[in-house]
Amino acid sequence: MHSKYSGDSKNELEAIVQRAVELGLKEIAITDHGPKHDGYGIKKTDYWLIRKEIDLLKEKYPQISILLGIEANILGTEGMIDLDEDMRALCDWVNAGYHFGSNLRHDLKIHFFNLLSKYSKYFYEKAKALNTKAMVNAMTNNDINMITHPGAKGPIDIHEVASVASQTHTMLEINNSHGHLTVAEIEIAKNYGVKFAMCSDAHKIEKIGLVPKSIERALAAGLTVEDIYNAFK
């Protein structure tokens, strides 16, 4: 979930924790957007402030596990992510995904093909190749817990992504808000032995812990509790 430190959310950290406790959640991860997003990335200098505030909240609310995470941006086809060594030293959980607006100067080519992928088969296939290469290299070159909404912001080769996710032990997200992974994508990824996570991607307090669409797609694809990181019997 996202906090006020992301440009697209206004949630106070303590309000997030209080809501999560009310819902009986056992663990949450604050995963604000990485600093290389030109629209709503966090300020790198704020990251230690988030760490400090979370550490204080962990003492105040011992009944819930609170993780400091990040939703890093996948940058270019080389698979770089905007999480440097200083930030990683503070971080408990690493998500990574492709987002429009990440490092506009560096990623302009990818953004261009993704924007046009809806209108032309040529642009679609070009975007799919670029997105897949970037995502595969990100998983191969970085220690990432989970890829966020794979396929939602641009087409991917789910076979190749799922194969590498399985090899690198990287979870794939079934995002409640974005529609990806789709049922068909989940079915394919399951065949590669991928581990999944169902996430609210909450930008507002009232969305915390809500994953009904994720559950619906997971069930339709035949997943069991054992396939999903954050599901329990």
Side-chain angles (χ1 to χ4, degrees):
M1 58 199 68
H2 299 277
S3 78
K4 66 179 182 180
Y5 291 99
S6 283
D8 57 348
S9 177
K10 300 184 183 299
N11 298 332
E12 295 286 343
L13 287 177
E14 185 161 12
I16 291 172
V17 174
Q18 288 174 339
R19 179 58 179 160
V21 169
E22 290 173 2
L23 293 170
L25 298 182
K26 297 179 180 179
E27 183 174 83
I28 59 172
I30 308 299
T31 54
D32 285 309
H33 295 285
K36 288 294 185 179
H37 193 285
D38 292 335
Y40 42 76
I42 63 170
K43 295 178 181 178
K44 181 185 171 183
T45 52
D46 282 343
Y47 204 60
W48 72 271
L49 294 175
I50 309 174
R51 174 77 272 173
K52 183 178 180 180
E53 189 172 351
I54 285 178
D55 287 344
L56 291 172
L57 290 169
K58 287 170 68 174
E59 294 182 8
K60 188 173 181 179
Y61 299 92
Q63 64 269 53
I64 187 170
S65 172
I66 309 167
L67 305 179
L68 170 59
I70 193 165
E71 186 175 9
N73 295 287
I74 297 175
L75 306 173
T77 56
E78 305 90 349
M80 296 184 296
I81 62 173
D82 53 350
L83 180 67
D84 63 21
E85 291 183 4
D86 292 338
M87 293 176 69
R88 186 177 284 278
L90 302 173
C91 188
D92 302 315
W93 184 274
V94 180
N95 291 338
Y98 167 73
H99 298 89
F100 290 121
S102 62
N103 201 357
L104 288 173
R105 183 178 300 177
H106 183 267
D107 291 341
L108 187 59
K109 179 180 179 181
I110 294 177
H111 297 330
F112 173 78
F113 282 108
N114 277 315
L115 286 170
L116 294 180
S117 64
K118 300 176 183 178
Y119 307 106
S120 161
K121 180 68 172 178
Y122 167 78
F123 288 119
Y124 178 90
E125 292 299 331
K126 186 68 174 180
K128 183 168 75 170
L130 291 171
N131 294 331
T132 301
K133 183 177 180 180
M135 201 166 285
V136 164
N137 283 337
M139 290 186 286
T140 302
N141 298 331
N142 302 278
D143 186 8
I144 296 170
N145 294 94
M146 185 182 77
I147 294 293
T148 58
H149 45 67
K153 307 294 184 176
I156 58 171
D157 183 334
I158 187 59
H159 288 277
E160 190 170 348
V161 168
S163 176
V164 174
S166 179
Q167 294 169 32
T168 57
H169 306 289
T170 307
M171 286 182 283
L172 298 183
E173 180 187 40
I174 305 173
N175 188 291
N176 191 71
S177 302
H178 291 296
H180 288 262
L181 296 167
T182 65
V183 173
E185 289 167 338
I186 295 168
E187 289 174 340
I188 291 169
K190 177 178 169 59
N191 289 331
Y192 288 91
V194 166
K195 193 79 169 180
F196 302 90
M198 298 187 295
C199 301
S200 64
D201 194 11
H203 289 67
K204 297 181 180 180
I205 290 290
E206 56 268 27
K207 298 293 185 181
I208 290 174
L210 294 181
V211 290
K213 294 179 182 177
S214 297
I215 294 172
E216 181 180 331
R217 298 201 303 273
L219 291 174
L223 296 189
T224 66
V225 169
E226 287 72 25
D227 297 315
I228 302 168
Y229 168 77
N230 56 339
F232 303 91
K233 290 182 179 179

